[in-house]
């Protein structure tokens, strides 16, 4: 019997195309991995409620969400790393003074601190999702695992310099993921690996975004999508074709899993 492997996939730009479609070859590849007894997981910046349908379609119950801050193994919560709410309060005050909206996210829902904003609208439209509803007090008394800061490219640097217990990772042209300092998909994956005991030679990861760099540079058999930026490709051991060009299927063949 083939030695069992564990493979983690990012979602946007990796499993899903720019139009948020799941290529047939990708779905077939995932099912073949599972048929061969391998463990398949998702590692994403998305919230758990933002990819429920995808999990059902692919029959995947293990995932790293919120860039490593909310980790689920076989349908059960394994690890959480919530944000410091005092810092989020201060971040909100600073963002408001800069006219930068914020979206608060826990494991069940997300709310915006402003009724509407073009940056939020455009960002969620690019994900083929509705914008969050308005509740400026949503962060009060609850655990948040990620906050979204909406600002033009480069303007997040002022926040990065001021909030030393937070990391700011550009996800979309006008959206920045805000997570606890040092948090990452790699750290979330580590929690699953520790529990399941896979040796490093049996670990694989696919990704395309800036928030995948630590994961791709940490996992031994890492694959960057052909549509990834050069910086992301440089962090991976292999580079496959783009997601639209059957990149997942091709990449799994490249590393000998199919």
């Amino acid at each position: 019997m083939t030695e069992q492997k564990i493979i983690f996939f990012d979602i946007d730009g990796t499993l899903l195309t720019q139009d948020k479609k799941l290529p047939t070859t990708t779905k077939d590849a995932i099912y073949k991995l599972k048929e061969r007894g391998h463990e398949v997981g998702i590692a994403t910046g998305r919230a758990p409620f933002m990819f429920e349908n995808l999990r059902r379609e692919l029959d995947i119950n293990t995932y790293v969400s919120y860039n490593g801050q909310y980790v689920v193994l076989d349908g059960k919560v394994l690890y959480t790393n919530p944000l410091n709410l005092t810092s989020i309060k201060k971040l909100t005050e600073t963002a408001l003074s800069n006219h930068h909206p914020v979206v608060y996210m826990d494991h069940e829902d997300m709310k915006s601190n402003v009724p509407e904003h073009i940056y939020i609208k455009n960002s969620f439209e690019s994900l083929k999702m509705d914008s969050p509803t308005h509740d400026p007090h949503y962060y009060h008394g609850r655990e948040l695992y990620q906050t979204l800061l909406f600002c033009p490219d480069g303007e997040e640097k002022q926040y990065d310099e001021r909030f030393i217990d937070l990391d700011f990772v550009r996800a979309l042209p006008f959206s920045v993921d805000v997570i606890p300092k040092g948090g990452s998909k790699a750290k979330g994956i580590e929690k699953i690996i520790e529990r399941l005991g896979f040796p490093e030679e049996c670990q694989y990861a696919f990704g395309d975004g800036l928030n995948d760099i630590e994961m791709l540079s940490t996992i031994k058999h890492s694959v960057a999508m052909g549509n990834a930026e050069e910086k992301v490709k440089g962090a991976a051991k292999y580079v496959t074709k783009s997601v639209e060009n059957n990149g997942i299927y091709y990449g799994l063949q490249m590393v000998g899993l199919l």
Side-chain angles (χ1 to χ4, degrees), residues 2 4 26 37 45 57-58 63 66 86 115-116 123 145 155-156 168 171 173 180 192 200-201 211 233 253:
T2 304
Q4 188 183 33
T26 297
E57 186 171 2
L58 295 176
Y63 57 89
Y66 282 136
T86 300
E116 57 183 24
S123 296
Y145 303 104
E155 293 189 19
E156 68 271 22
F168 296 81
I192 293 174
E200 66 172 14
E201 62 267 19
N211 61 346
K233 292 177 180 178
Q253 288 182 319

Side-chain angles (χ1 to χ4, degrees), residues 49-242:
F49 56 83
M50 295 171 71
F51 60 103
E52 287 181 15
N53 290 338
L54 182 63
R55 294 202 304 274
R56 286 195 207 99
E57 186 171 2
L58 295 176
D59 191 25
I60 293 176
N61 299 305
T62 292
Y63 57 89
V64 172
S65 62
Y66 282 136
N67 291 309
Q69 314 324 304
Y70 194 87
V71 179
V72 170
L73 174 59
D74 196 24
K76 297 180 180 179
V77 178
L78 175 67
Y79 169 77
T80 62
N81 184 31
L83 288 155
N84 181 303
L85 293 185
T86 300
S87 295
I88 295 305
K89 182 177 184 295
K90 293 178 180 176
L91 172 68
T92 298
E93 293 168 353
T94 305
L96 282 170
S97 69
N98 291 329
H99 304 288
H100 292 155
V102 170
V103 167
Y104 311 111
M105 312 179 81
D106 66 5
H107 64 295
E108 294 178 327
D109 206 352
M110 57 183 171
K111 299 291 182 180
S112 169
N113 73 326
V114 296
E116 57 183 24
H117 196 284
I118 189 64
Y119 291 171
I120 296 177
K121 182 176 182 290
N122 288 347
S123 296
F124 278 90
E125 280 183 353
S126 74
L127 295 172
K128 308 296 183 188
M129 293 185 64
D130 293 332
S131 294
T133 55
H134 177 223
D135 182 354
H137 307 297
Y138 194 70
Y139 67 92
H140 292 181
R142 70 176 74 237
E143 289 191 338
L144 302 179
Y145 303 104
Q146 185 166 278
T147 293
L148 303 180
L149 172 69
F150 293 84
C151 62
D153 192 13
E155 293 189 19
E156 68 271 22
K157 291 178 182 177
Q158 60 181 304
Y159 299 93
D160 202 19
E161 293 165 357
R162 178 172 177 180
F163 295 93
I164 60 174
D165 64 335
L166 302 175
D167 276 338
F168 296 81
V169 184
R170 174 67 59 178
L172 296 169
F174 290 100
S175 179
V176 177
D177 293 342
V178 183
I179 58 176
K181 192 74 174 180
S184 69
K185 292 183 182 183
K187 295 285 176 60
I189 288 173
E190 188 177 277
K191 300 297 180 181
I192 293 174
I193 298 297
E194 286 174 357
R195 180 62 64 90
L196 297 181
F198 282 90
E200 66 172 14
E201 62 267 19
C202 293
Q203 301 170 24
Y204 297 74
F206 285 70
D208 76 298
L210 296 176
N211 61 346
D212 293 318
I213 287 177
E214 188 167 348
M215 173 179 77
L216 295 175
S217 60
T218 301
I219 299 296
K220 181 166 185 177
H221 303 290
S222 58
V223 185
M225 304 301 290
N227 43 278
E229 294 183 25
E230 291 305 314
K231 186 177 181 182
V232 179
K233 292 177 180 178
K237 186 171 183 181
Y238 306 94
V239 178
T240 184
K241 297 178 181 180
S242 71

